[in-house]
Amino acid sequence: MPSDLPRLTVRMEKELIDKVNILAKKETRSTNQQIIYILKKYIEQYEQENGRINNLGVSVTKTG
């Protein structure tokens, strides 16, 4: 079933992609889900240290 979630194309070094793939396998996640997990954790940490990032009242700590 196709997702209606927005898509984002990201370019990065192959070594970084390979490392994310390794982490995803170790954590039993898809590469996509691993990247989402990493981003959410980073934003959560950032918001704890710097305050909430306000974007239309949405916060990763509320949704994730």
Side-chain angles (χ1 to χ4, degrees):
M1 174 184 233
S3 173
D4 60 349
L5 292 173
R7 291 180 173 261
L8 172 68
T9 301
V10 179
R11 287 182 282 238
M12 65 182 87
E13 298 90 3
K14 179 160 178 8
E15 181 180 357
L16 186 56
I17 294 169
D18 292 342
K19 288 180 179 184
V20 171
N21 285 332
I22 290 167
L23 291 173
K25 284 182 180 140
K26 285 186 174 193
E27 299 290 330
T28 325
R29 293 186 179 103
S30 68
T31 300
N32 185 72
Q33 286 300 314
Q34 185 67 22
I35 292 168
I36 291 170
Y37 174 81
I38 290 166
L39 287 171
K40 283 184 176 181
K41 285 295 178 186
Y42 176 81
I43 291 171
E44 198 174 274
Q45 178 184 346
Y46 181 92
E47 287 185 329
Q48 286 177 355
E49 295 172 4
N50 300 286
R52 191 166 150 236
I53 301 168
N54 190 4
N55 182 13
L56 303 174
V58 175
S59 172
V60 170
T61 55
K62 282 186 176 178
T63 61

